Amino acid sequence: MASRHYIGIDIGTTGTKTVLLERSAGIIAQANFESPIFSDGPAFAEADADAWVDNAVNGIRAVLTESGVDPATVVAVATTGMVPAVLCLDADMKPVRRPILQNDARATVEIGELASLIDGADMLTRTGSALTQQSVAPTLMWLRRHEPELWSRTVHVVGSYDYVLTALGAPVHVEENWALESGLYTLDGSRYDTAITAAGLDPGLLSTPVRPGTVVGAVSARVAAETGLDPATALVVGGADHVLSAYAAGVDSPGKWLVKLGGAGDILTACDAPVVDERLYLDAHPRPGVWLPNGCMATSGSLIRWFQTVVGGVTLAELDAEAASREPASLLCLPYFLGEKSPIHDPELRGAFLGLELSHTRADLYRAVLEAIAFGFRHNAEAMRAAGIELDARASVTNGGSKSMLWKQIHADVLNVELIPVRDHPGASLGAAILAGVGAGDLTVDDSARFLHTDPPIVPDPARVAAYDQAYRLWRQAGDALTGVSHALARRRTDRAATSKEG
């Protein structure tokens, strides 16, 4: 049987990963290109849409060059990425400004205004999403208020990976999980008119959601010339990065769950019915009838990269080696450097280190950062169990952070579960490539297991489990105690920024 290949492209916070998949051999080539991020105001988080498209094109070229395969054997391309990032497109389907990322927390005033306007409406039950900092309507209200000229040019509102697929040749569309997490659509995919009307939005800005694995177009002549792909190459809707990462990691039945150590921190589990809870997010699994309740922390790997920069660019391997010998939880870190998403949903929280003494070193601070993120995962896991969600005594772990043995061990100890590392897991890009194969008619959504490989489990250490139990309780108390201080500091900085802008 002739080889047929599929490309998956993952639009990440700091980089774009591309994989080339063959239906029998599995992944045969990968490429990664960095993307800039911007934070030009308090709690702002933005990206460069042109860089996303350039990275996608360069990634396609790179995997074709590395593998040496005939581009004509590539039959489909699918995309995945951050959700729900917000792109405003003009009539020519070009961005009118930088994309606003899902961990952006600028629209706090608008969240309050919209909450008042829809008070009494059953948004959570209807959409599966509470009104939070990642809800799209408040962000669009902010844009209309603060950037009216750019807003006046907006004709379409889409997400990150859907935009990139459009730039490759597809028509404007939104994938169903972007729709679900946006708060602008109901669980059945129809527009949620209550929020749309209250926010003063034109419903025509929003496209009808499309399911993962659906062919929506073909590569444009321009992209074909730039990449070497055949113009008949199918463009297939992928999905949200955390959803496809969990899908490709084998989270496909109740009780299975994933700790995803990416730029943000995601925790996902599978259920056979939608679980609606204000502390959590809800997504649809690529397999029909399966749902993915999940939590997402605003920072994870991004906080580690911040710390790495602050201490002068020391390698993560060196920091790991230093921190491995330090006492567990000798310090506490609150990881709310971009506010917090689930399960707290408070964009005005701020980060902190507690318990510092002159004897502490950067190794103690670094270990506290790793532990803080693990505590955040535990907080989310507790919220899931409280919502009646079953979590097995084993969990999978993926993404960049899963390469660190120290960080994996800390998570196993804090969560008190065995962690199963997914070996050489490229994350959501693999899920997207599988769905490209589904769209091409060569694979089914049940074929993800054939590409899954795992390493031996990381087993919790009973002594550290006990130490972390005590530290976690203190960590929760510290977060509660400093909430008022965080809010005051956040508002003071916002007020100063507003005064400076007016001046």
Side-chain angles (χ1 to χ4, degrees), residues 302-351:
S302 56
L303 179 54
I304 292 172
R305 283 192 293 273
W306 168 85
F307 183 84
Q308 185 183 19
T309 301
V310 167
V311 297
V314 182
T315 67
L316 295 180
E318 185 175 351
L319 289 171
D320 269 11
E322 292 176 358
S325 62
R326 307 304 290 181
E327 178 187 354
S330 68
L331 293 174
L332 294 178
C333 170
L334 298 179
Y336 309 133
F337 286 57
L338 277 174
E340 186 54 297
K341 297 170 75 175
S342 68
I344 304 172
H345 299 296
D346 188 343
E348 293 189 333
L349 289 180
R350 292 296 177 263

Side-chain angles (χ1 to χ4, degrees), residues 446-464:
D446 295 325
D447 282 328
S448 60
R450 63 194 278 191
F451 304 109
L452 177 63
H453 308 283
T454 61
D455 286 328
I458 310 298
V459 180
D461 177 272
R464 286 192 296 265

Side-chain angles (χ1 to χ4, degrees), residues 365-435:
L365 290 163
Y366 177 66
R367 184 171 187 122
V369 166
L370 300 183
E371 292 166 342
I373 298 163
F375 288 151
F377 275 107
R378 177 166 170 170
H379 196 182
N380 275 282
E382 288 184 350
M384 287 182 166
R385 292 188 177 101
I389 297 171
E390 173 190 355
L391 297 178
D392 288 347
R394 299 178 119 198
S396 298
V397 60
T398 63
N399 277 55
S402 66
K403 298 175 183 176
S404 165
M405 181 59 71
L406 173 63
W407 203 15
K408 286 185 289 191
Q409 186 66 60
I410 287 172
H411 275 82
D413 295 337
V414 169
L415 295 168
N416 194 20
V417 298
E418 288 189 359
L419 286 182
I420 312 300
V422 180
R423 185 191 322 141
D424 300 327
H425 186 52
S429 54
L430 172 57
I434 295 170
L435 289 178

Side-chain angles (χ1 to χ4, degrees), residues 113-162:
E113 291 175 351
L114 186 57
S116 296
L117 290 169
I118 64 173
D119 184 36
D122 200 0
M123 179 176 179
L124 181 63
T125 301
R126 293 288 309 284
T127 69
S129 297
L131 184 60
T132 70
Q133 74 180 70
Q134 78 166 29
S135 299
V136 170
T139 299
L140 299 181
M141 292 167 66
W142 188 95
L143 290 171
R144 184 179 60 208
R145 173 174 290 163
H146 295 277
E147 300 178 359
E149 192 278 328
L150 295 177
W151 177 251
S152 69
R153 292 163 45 199
T154 300
V155 176
H156 308 284
V157 176
V158 299
S160 59
Y161 49 98
D162 292 325

